[in-house]
Amino acid sequence: MSRPHTFVPPAGVSAYRLSTTRGEFAVLDAEPQGRSRGTVLLLPGFTGSKEDFIALHVPLAAAGYRTVAVDGRGQFETDGPRDDETAYAQAELAQDVLAQAVAVGGPVHLVGHSLGGQIARAAVLADASPFVSLTLMASGPAQISESQQQRVKLLRDALAVMSMAEVWDAIQAMEPPEETETGGLDAGLDDLADLRRRWLGNSPAQLVATGRQLCDEPDRVAELAAVPLPKHVISGERDDTWPVPLLDTMAVRLDAHRTVVAGAEHSPNADRPLETARALAAFWDGVDNLDGTRPPTAPDGAGPARF
């Protein structure tokens, strides 16, 4: 489970419901400071939410980018069926993303974290025209690692016989003590209560459906490589959901810009937000919105970029 540093939006970040042709979606929206260099749509991962990107808004606004982080259908503060899994088919979620891009006033730079990256990929493969670039953040070429598949299957089995509140209690009972204490989060905030509130806001059907997708996702890298869109693969230097060497190989297959954020793991957006924001802005700054020119693999032209 991703753990944002806070659930309180910083100054300059607006929380509202974005109206689209596919319904309303809860978003956090930050306008750029000074001249606008573009708009960014941020998609969270499995069990995550728009708050996972909360520490990126201010530095990216300072770099000139409007950032819109969204709760997908059935995630946290966006409504969705609680029993009907068909609403969460990947193709349906991809159509949601296309509608969101239009609603925020594209074309947009699209960023997907983990599961959000696979949904972003599906959206681009369905229709790349609303997008200026695609960034896959800690999101791999196909299904998640075997160890993570086992965790997701345990969750799916639990959701079949337990309520969301009961599953939350069970998860907390299994976590190491340091993971369940709020001291590792922002002092003075009841972050564990916020995490529980987010968990309870999720649709069980959404978790089951998207969890199955994570375990069954095919390799679609060749299809994505054929799409003439600048691409960026960014991750931490450690990741147990998709091994980092696998992400390195995927970046080569995509002919993508590659960033490895030192000191970060599966959520560089939360682990090292300033370094992650700097890497994202550097990539977008290098993308020519008119001819789709891709930035070099790294500032020195050799090897993965490290920030």
Side-chain angles (χ1 to χ4, degrees), residues 106-138:
V108 302
H109 296 283
L110 183 60
V111 178
H113 173 237
S114 195
L115 170 71
Q118 297 197 333
I119 296 170
R121 177 172 73 178
V124 166
L125 289 174
D127 181 4
S129 64
F131 307 112
V132 179
S133 72
L134 172 65
T135 295
L136 302 175
M137 181 182 292

Side-chain angles (χ1 to χ4, degrees), residues 45-135:
F46 186 63
T47 75
S49 69
K50 60 191 178 303
E51 285 74 18
D52 294 344
F53 303 106
I54 207 162
L56 297 183
H57 290 292
V58 171
L60 289 177
Y65 290 95
R66 177 191 176 197
T67 48
V68 183
V70 60
D71 287 338
R73 182 188 299 265
Q75 278 186 323
F76 191 25
E77 295 180 325
T78 293
D79 295 334
R82 298 189 71 80
D83 300 313
D84 180 10
E85 292 182 36
T86 61
Y88 305 107
Q90 189 184 78
E92 293 295 320
L93 300 178
Q95 289 300 316
D96 288 348
V97 174
L98 293 171
Q100 292 157 11
V102 172
V104 300
V108 302
H109 296 283
L110 183 60
V111 178
H113 173 237
S114 195
L115 170 71
Q118 297 197 333
I119 296 170
R121 177 172 73 178
V124 166
L125 289 174
D127 181 4
S129 64
F131 307 112
V132 179
S133 72
L134 172 65
T135 295

Side-chain angles (χ1 to χ4, degrees), residues 192-214:
L192 194 60
D194 284 329
L195 290 171
R196 183 178 186 275
R197 179 170 60 89
R198 176 173 72 174
W199 170 260
L200 294 177
N202 284 309
S203 159
Q206 181 264 127
L207 293 173
V208 171
T210 56
R212 185 178 294 110
Q213 291 168 28
L214 285 169

Side-chain angles (χ1 to χ4, degrees), residues 20-283:
T20 80
T21 57
R22 301 274 296 179
E24 293 187 341
F25 296 86
V27 301
L28 294 176
D29 186 338
E31 292 293 333
Q33 299 174 12
R35 183 175 69 89
S36 175
R37 297 184 63 88
T39 298
V40 183
L41 185 62
L42 299 152
L43 311 181
F46 186 63
T47 75
S49 69
K50 60 191 178 303
E51 285 74 18
D52 294 344
F53 303 106
I54 207 162
L56 297 183
H57 290 292
V58 171
L60 289 177
Y65 290 95
R66 177 191 176 197
T67 48
V68 183
V70 60
D71 287 338
R73 182 188 299 265
Q75 278 186 323
F76 191 25
E77 295 180 325
T78 293
D79 295 334
R82 298 189 71 80
D83 300 313
D84 180 10
E85 292 182 36
T86 61
Y88 305 107
Q90 189 184 78
E92 293 295 320
L93 300 178
Q95 289 300 316
D96 288 348
V97 174
L98 293 171
Q100 292 157 11
V102 172
V104 300
V108 302
H109 296 283
L110 183 60
V111 178
H113 173 237
S114 195
L115 170 71
Q118 297 197 333
I119 296 170
R121 177 172 73 178
V124 166
L125 289 174
D127 181 4
S129 64
F131 307 112
V132 179
S133 72
L134 172 65
T135 295
L136 302 175
M137 181 182 292
S139 186
Q143 72 271 15
I144 54 178
S145 66
E146 183 64 32
S147 64
Q148 292 302 307
Q149 288 185 46
Q150 292 303 316
R151 291 170 66 91
V152 170
K153 289 173 182 176
L154 283 172
L155 174 59
R156 284 163 45 196
D157 290 344
L159 288 170
V161 297
M162 300 167 69
S163 69
M164 290 290 286
E166 289 170 335
V167 172
W168 170 264
D169 291 340
I171 291 172
Q172 297 311 298
M174 291 187 295
E175 291 280 7
E178 64 272 15
E179 293 294 329
T180 61
E181 295 172 357
T182 59
L185 302 168
D186 281 0
L189 294 176
D190 193 5
D191 289 284
L192 194 60
D194 284 329
L195 290 171
R196 183 178 186 275
R197 179 170 60 89
R198 176 173 72 174
W199 170 260
L200 294 177
N202 284 309
S203 159
Q206 181 264 127
L207 293 173
V208 171
T210 56
R212 185 178 294 110
Q213 291 168 28
L214 285 169
C215 295
D216 297 341
E217 179 75 2
D219 188 323
R220 304 185 71 186
V221 174
E223 292 177 69
L224 184 61
V227 177
L229 196 70
K231 305 172 188 75
H232 184 193
V233 175
I234 183 170
S235 72
E237 60 182 353
R238 295 177 298 279
D239 197 315
D240 61 359
T241 304
W242 287 278
V244 170
L246 188 65
L247 299 176
D248 291 339
T249 300
M250 181 180 73
V252 172
R253 294 173 64 195
L254 290 172
D255 191 26
H257 186 57
R258 177 73 173 110
T259 302
V260 178
V261 181
E265 298 188 19
H266 185 60
S267 297
N269 44 309
D271 296 340
R272 294 289 185 273
L274 293 179
E275 294 87 345
T276 300
R278 187 182 309 129
L280 291 170
F283 169 68

